[in-house]
Amino acid sequence: MAKKETFHSLITLGLFGALCFVGYLWYSGELVPRVKVAGDNMNDGTSNLLKTEEQFRDKLAELKMQRDKVQRGATRLERLKADNITHLKEKGIGSGKDFINSSDPDVKNAVINLKEWVTQITKINQEIGYYDEAISSIKVMLDKIERDRINESIALNEEEYLELQKVIVDLNERLNVNTTILEDEELGKLLDLEMAGSN
């Protein structure tokens, strides 16, 4: 009976120890799913967050080039749309009613193309708006970096601040003394004047 109880106690103790060990590995981060570890390794050191002034300036230049490319694409689409509208006018289509009454398959294809171009131009113009917003935000951040740099270059450090305070206190003390002397002289002259006038 005692052997059975000892055996059960050892098994319980062993399971408890194993559970504690697994808990320790989990808590310490050693027991992490492989997918998560792989994801962390991929992101390690390649964060998309901009931190330095150089990164902001590089991103600004990149966004401007991308925006220009998208803008050129939008311009080409606008030209194709205009050519398509000209073609429809040449076919005698000046309104939706003309299109509905037309049986020309070429007209139908041209209107379908027109719809696609309008949709694409709207999408691209929205993207251009996103680029403009991002470019504007980066310019604001670069202005902030410049302001911070100027503030740091001209800001008083603690030692300079204390020295300046000493100078201010010293000047105030001197000015108070001089003011007192001047006030005494003026009072003396006033007294002389009044005394002479009372004789």
Side-chain angles (χ1 to χ4, degrees), residues 126-137:
Q126 190 177 31
E127 288 174 1
I128 290 171
Y130 294 150
Y131 278 111
D132 288 340
E133 189 177 345
I135 288 167
S136 177
S137 296

Side-chain angles (χ1 to χ4, degrees), residues 50-112:
L50 304 176
K51 294 176 183 174
T52 66
E53 182 180 1
E54 184 180 359
Q55 287 174 332
F56 277 107
R57 292 197 182 281
D58 289 346
K59 194 61 170 177
L60 181 62
E62 179 188 334
L63 288 174
K64 283 181 174 179
M65 285 191 297
Q66 289 173 351
R67 186 202 180 282
D68 289 345
K69 183 180 176 183
V70 172
Q71 182 67 64
R72 287 193 299 273
T75 303
R76 283 198 304 273
L77 286 172
E78 289 283 0
R79 196 164 47 245
L80 287 169
K81 185 182 91 168
D83 290 345
N84 196 39
I85 289 171
T86 302
H87 175 67
L88 285 167
K89 285 179 180 177
E90 288 170 355
K91 289 276 190 177
I93 305 297
S95 67
K97 187 177 179 183
D98 294 337
F99 166 67
I100 292 168
N101 293 330
S102 174
S103 58
D104 187 345
D106 187 41
V107 168
K108 185 171 183 181
N109 287 334
V111 172
I112 289 170

Side-chain angles (χ1 to χ4, degrees), residues 32-45:
V32 179
R34 286 187 61 78
V35 175
K36 187 175 179 186
V37 172
D40 289 346
N41 288 340
M42 284 174 62
N43 291 330
D44 193 28

Side-chain angles (χ1 to χ4, degrees), residues 123-152:
K123 182 176 175 287
I124 286 176
N125 284 336
Q126 190 177 31
E127 288 174 1
I128 290 171
Y130 294 150
Y131 278 111
D132 288 340
E133 189 177 345
I135 288 167
S136 177
S137 296
I138 289 177
K139 284 180 177 176
V140 168
M141 181 53 72
L142 285 169
D143 288 344
K144 181 185 182 305
I145 289 170
E146 183 65 20
R147 281 195 308 274
D148 289 347
R149 181 166 47 243
I150 292 169
N151 286 341
E152 285 172 13

